[in-house]
Amino acid sequence: MSHMLSRFERIGWELWLAPAVAAAVWGTLVASAGSELPLARTIVFVGGPLVLLAGLFERLGAYLHAPHRHTLLPLPLHPDLHFEAAARPHRVGLLGTAALGTSALLVAAVSELLPAGAPVGGVALLVADWLWLVLLAALVEPAIAGVSAWLGRRFDDDSAPRRLQLQAGGGWTLPEAVVHLYAPALGIGVAALLAMPGQLTLDRIADAGAVGSVSAGLSAAGLVPPALAVALRAWARRGYAAGMFQAVAWLAQATRTLAGPPIPEPAPRWVSRISDPSLRLWALQLWRVTPVPGLRLWALIGVGGWIGWTATLRVPQAAILLALLALWLVPAVRVAKLRPGRRAFFAALPLAERPRSGACPSGALLLAVPAIVAIGLAAGGTLLQGGA
């Protein structure tokens, strides 16, 4: 049965796109440390949780937030089946985030740290610190879903959980949905806190060059966090089963309340100036199905201009530019899937055969213009300043 439920779980580009951008920026900051390994360790310690947080919503969304979870709610299925089905995209997303973060550290090491004179062992320690954090996060993150389900229920008015819901929410959303505002960030914070003793142990071993340099107290303290993480992972399924049915229903109601009536946003002015009806509809669909499209567009062009102005088109900066290119280009996949709707819309209009079929070749050019501008600014500025 869990295998059948897994077919409802959507594994798409959302699982890796945001972590790719976060990992690219993080890798660039690590590369800026040069041969200063203590600074690089600090950046890894601070930035690692942020990379995990970047894709956390997409990884954990299948547990409670996914629309199909609410659709399947009336079926007589045990919560354990829902938990196992949602765990699949969670594992895929976490493995992808781990791979992206590791790749960012390796690129930073090869392009900047090792040429600057950083020792190989110290660079390997950075990757070990990151992977230890990922391991603890893999144990803690399911507990985020468990806590969200357990605290996402309706409690008695005089109970402590109910008072916590009311005080933490401030009336901004339904009390039963308040836990979803805090649990993700707090969960990653717990994972980072539990990973700290192990990271300190690894750093101590690397600095002293011997395993025996670690004190008995630090060794004992390093065993407690993994045990706590394992206990949280074991409890996650129980907490999820206790509140899943109520939490999903309350969360769906809160989402509809916050979304408001189904009224689309007004079209941007530049879209209304497009004379070609097929291109205008394509551009409007791209703008409305892409989350924060304006931010993605100007971030891409801004970073391209910054790289060209500073003439710093090296591997870390190129990684950021490529990540922002993906952030702008990949959502167009959704527009391609809307072709049947465009075909039905244009079927009765006096247009050429190709636009009436829903195809829009000029849409690819419109999509590519910001990418071409950003690459041109980055490469052109670097070449001009390099030649000067």
Side-chain angles (χ1 to χ4, degrees):
M1 183 63 72
S2 61
H3 176 70
M4 296 178 62
L5 287 180
S6 297
R7 288 186 289 181
F8 289 91
E9 310 304 329
R10 185 172 181 270
I11 298 178
W13 50 266
E14 293 90 347
L15 287 175
W16 61 265
L17 196 51
V21 177
V25 176
W26 182 49
T28 302
L29 294 176
V30 174
S32 66
S35 60
E36 299 293 330
L37 279 182
L39 177 60
R41 290 177 187 173
T42 302
I43 297 174
V44 169
F45 176 77
V46 174
L50 297 179
V51 174
L52 291 174
L53 190 61
L56 183 64
F57 176 79
E58 296 298 338
R59 291 199 302 272
L60 299 183
Y63 286 104
L64 297 171
H65 293 77
H68 61 267
R69 190 65 58 221
H70 184 255
T71 303
L72 298 172
L73 200 62
L75 299 180
L77 300 174
H78 195 276
D80 286 349
L81 297 177
H82 290 277
F83 188 88
E84 293 172 5
R88 179 170 173 260
H90 179 206
R91 288 193 297 267
V92 172
L94 188 59
L95 288 175
T97 301
L100 289 169
T102 304
S103 300
L105 292 178
L106 293 178
V107 169
V110 173
S111 62
E112 300 292 338
L113 299 184
L114 294 178
V120 177
V123 173
L125 174 67
L126 300 179
V127 180
D129 285 348
W130 159 247
L131 293 179
W132 178 249
L133 172 63
V134 171
L135 177 61
L136 271 296
L139 296 173
V140 172
E141 284 186 2
I144 298 176
V147 170
S148 299
W150 192 86
L151 273 177
R153 301 177 292 166
R154 170 66 62 88
F155 293 92
D156 295 334
D157 292 337
D158 58 345
S159 63
R162 185 63 176 179
R163 290 193 296 270
L164 178 62
Q165 290 175 338
L166 295 173
Q167 293 173 2
W172 187 74
T173 185
L174 296 179
E176 293 78 10
V178 169
V179 62
H180 305 286
L181 303 177
Y182 299 95
L186 290 177
I188 293 298
V190 169
L193 181 63
L194 295 179
M196 190 185 304
Q199 292 173 330
L200 292 176
T201 301
L202 293 173
D203 294 346
R204 177 70 176 177
I205 293 174
D207 292 339
V211 178
S213 61
V214 180
S215 64
L218 184 58
S219 299
L223 296 176
V224 175
L228 293 176
V230 171
L232 286 173
R233 177 62 181 85
W235 174 86
R237 186 184 295 264
R238 182 181 302 176
Y240 183 83
M244 189 272 292
F245 287 106
Q246 291 190 48
V248 170
W250 284 114
L251 183 58
Q253 180 176 344
T255 302
R256 289 194 298 268
T257 302
L258 292 175
I263 301 175
E265 297 181 359
R269 292 183 179 179
W270 62 269
V271 173
S272 61
R273 295 173 182 171
I274 300 176
S275 58
D276 184 0
S278 62
L279 180 59
R280 185 191 307 171
L281 179 58
W282 190 94
L284 184 60
Q285 288 178 334
L286 174 68
W287 197 259
R288 284 180 173 170
V289 302
T290 304
V292 290
L295 178 61
R296 295 171 186 246
L297 174 64
W298 292 114
L300 173 61
I301 296 177
V303 168
W306 167 71
I307 293 175
W309 179 262
T310 57
T312 55
L313 186 55
R314 295 194 295 270
V315 175
Q317 289 76 13
I320 294 179
L321 186 60
L322 288 175
L324 291 175
L325 283 170
L327 199 65
W328 169 250
L329 296 175
V330 173
V333 175
R334 291 179 175 174
V335 185
K337 294 180 179 180
L338 298 176
R339 180 173 177 176
R342 293 195 298 272
R343 181 170 59 244
F345 183 79
F346 290 131
L349 298 181
L351 299 175
E353 181 178 355
R354 192 168 182 82
R356 288 178 62 191
S357 67
C360 186
S362 54
L365 178 60
L366 180 65
L367 183 69
V369 166
I372 295 173
V373 170
I375 295 175
L377 289 174
T382 303
L383 290 176
L384 289 176
Q385 296 193 36

